Amino acid sequence: MAKTQLNVRVDESTAAAARRRAHQRGLSVNRYIEELVKQDAGEAGRAFVEAAADFMKQYESVFAEEFGAAAPVPVTAMSPSGGGDAGPGGDATGAARRSRRSKSVAQGER
């Protein structure tokens, strides 16, 4: 893994808190910040998946009408750790595209 130096200016109280918390965890400040960024990214991914699941639930009848009564995709399949499954172009979007495509082909359209 390539290491990059990042020069960021923060106020002294924030820097002191970061040094103190890193020391409490037995980490370097850089490693502590890296862990915070990873944690933040994980939380953002979970928030996205929850919002997507809520959206799908709210519009379930619209999707069923448009794409037929296919078996629902379990929410657990839309995991942020699953390689981007829930993101743009991921499995959920691809499944909708495939469904539309197969419907069009079945009706003789191209």
Side-chain angles (χ1 to χ4, degrees), residues 11-30 32-33 36:
D11 63 74
E12 186 52 40
S13 64
T14 301
R19 284 190 295 270
R20 188 172 50 256
R21 290 185 181 148
H23 178 73
Q24 289 170 345
R25 289 172 174 76
L27 302 171
S28 69
V29 173
N30 286 344
Y32 173 69
I33 291 170
L36 288 176

Side-chain angles (χ1 to χ4, degrees), residues 20-89:
R20 188 172 50 256
R21 290 185 181 148
H23 178 73
Q24 289 170 345
R25 289 172 174 76
L27 302 171
S28 69
V29 173
N30 286 344
R31 181 69 179 159
Y32 173 69
I33 291 170
E34 184 179 343
E35 292 297 320
L36 288 176
V37 170
K38 286 180 182 178
Q39 178 182 346
D40 185 53
E43 290 171 3
R46 281 188 294 280
F48 175 83
V49 170
E50 288 172 8
D54 185 50
F55 173 83
M56 294 296 286
K57 188 173 184 174
Q58 287 179 8
Y59 292 95
E60 183 176 16
S61 62
V62 175
F63 287 119
E65 182 180 320
E66 178 69 21
F67 303 112
V73 176
V75 174
T76 56
M78 296 174 49
S79 167
S81 62
D85 292 336

Side-chain angles (χ1 to χ4, degrees), residues 97-110:
R97 257 192 251 109
R98 286 188 298 276
S99 176
R100 282 193 299 266
R101 194 176 318 126
S102 63
K103 186 176 180 180
S104 296
V105 171
Q107 295 171 350
E109 299 174 13
R110 296 230 174 223

